[in-house]
Amino acid sequence: MYTQEESKQIRQLFWDTFARRCEIVPELRRRKKKWMLYDTKISGVDLKFEVTRQDAMVMIEINSRSETRRLQIFELMEKYRILLEEGFEDGLIWEYYYKRESGQEVCRIFEKIIHVDIHRQNQWPDIFNFLIENMLRLETNFLEIRDVLKEEIAELPYE
């Protein structure tokens, strides 16, 4: 069992090591900023990594505070499901309701790998490969629809 501080240190080492691993990925070398993440240019829509003691995920998270708006954005994204899922062998997982530990309700569209543990350093290479490969694919697919999606979201009635 790990103390809270030990767990925090392991997570920090994981993400530091992941950042160094990204430095040697050819597709990421020429980028000024490695990942889009919170800079999607669409308010309330982020791309995220998540790694726990059970699994690892890459995701699009719709986190608008307004439930109506959040669900409207999720429905708009469903229109582009085929484009978003391109290259994902089994498609993506579409979760219109997820409650974070903080209590915030969000929608998620994600790919995940199970039976991996951030505390097991021997699994880190597999986790890193999963995160890099799938986030590159997810970013590419998202960029294909971003401008149209942004326009359609702007036309939604705002609460």
Side-chain angles (χ1 to χ4, degrees):
M1 198 53 117
Y2 296 95
T3 67
Q4 192 172 10
E5 184 58 34
E6 289 170 330
S7 186
K8 181 179 177 182
Q9 289 173 354
I10 291 169
R11 286 191 308 277
Q12 184 64 50
L13 179 60
F14 174 88
W15 291 112
D16 290 346
T17 306
F18 178 65
R20 286 194 305 277
R21 171 65 175 83
C22 290
E23 294 294 327
I24 63 169
V25 175
E27 297 91 340
L28 296 174
R29 263 196 228 141
R30 64 184 177 273
R31 289 187 183 189
K32 193 176 200 178
K33 188 173 177 224
K34 297 297 179 218
W35 302 105
M36 180 186 312
L37 303 179
Y38 299 99
D39 192 23
T40 62
K41 311 283 189 238
I42 300 176
S43 178
V45 177
D46 300 323
L47 274 66
K48 292 186 171 190
F49 294 109
E50 185 174 290
V51 183
T52 69
R53 304 271 334 254
Q54 294 83 32
D55 55 33
M57 291 190 268
V58 295
M59 72 184 82
I60 297 172
E61 185 177 87
I62 305 163
N63 51 33
S64 175
R65 292 176 198 230
S66 161
E67 180 181 21
T68 302
R69 188 152 185 87
R70 190 171 57 247
L71 295 176
Q72 288 172 329
I73 294 170
F74 185 80
E75 288 174 2
L76 280 176
M77 292 188 108
E78 282 184 311
K79 283 179 27 180
Y80 302 103
R81 187 177 193 134
I82 291 171
L83 294 171
L84 282 173
E85 292 185 341
E86 188 171 313
F88 289 97
E89 194 172 304
D90 297 321
L92 294 168
I93 300 164
W94 293 70
E95 193 170 53
Y96 73 93
Y97 177 82
Y98 178 81
K99 193 169 191 171
R100 289 189 193 161
E101 285 182 18
S102 67
Q104 183 183 12
E105 297 173 355
V106 298
C107 300
R108 291 177 157 188
I109 303 164
F110 61 94
E111 172 72 309
K112 78 177 180 178
I113 183 174
I114 57 173
H115 306 301
V116 293
D117 183 346
I118 194 169
H119 286 184
R120 295 180 184 229
Q121 289 189 15
N122 65 326
Q123 293 181 349
W124 287 7
D126 292 335
I127 297 171
F128 295 159
N129 290 338
F130 168 82
L131 294 175
I132 292 167
E133 176 184 325
N134 288 286
M135 185 57 85
L136 282 170
R137 184 176 299 122
L138 191 60
E139 274 190 356
T140 299
N141 295 353
F142 178 78
L143 286 170
E144 289 290 320
I145 68 164
R146 179 177 66 184
D147 294 338
V148 174
L149 187 63
K150 188 175 180 179
E151 287 176 23
E152 290 184 14
I153 290 170
E155 293 172 8
L156 291 173
Y158 204 86
E159 285 189 357

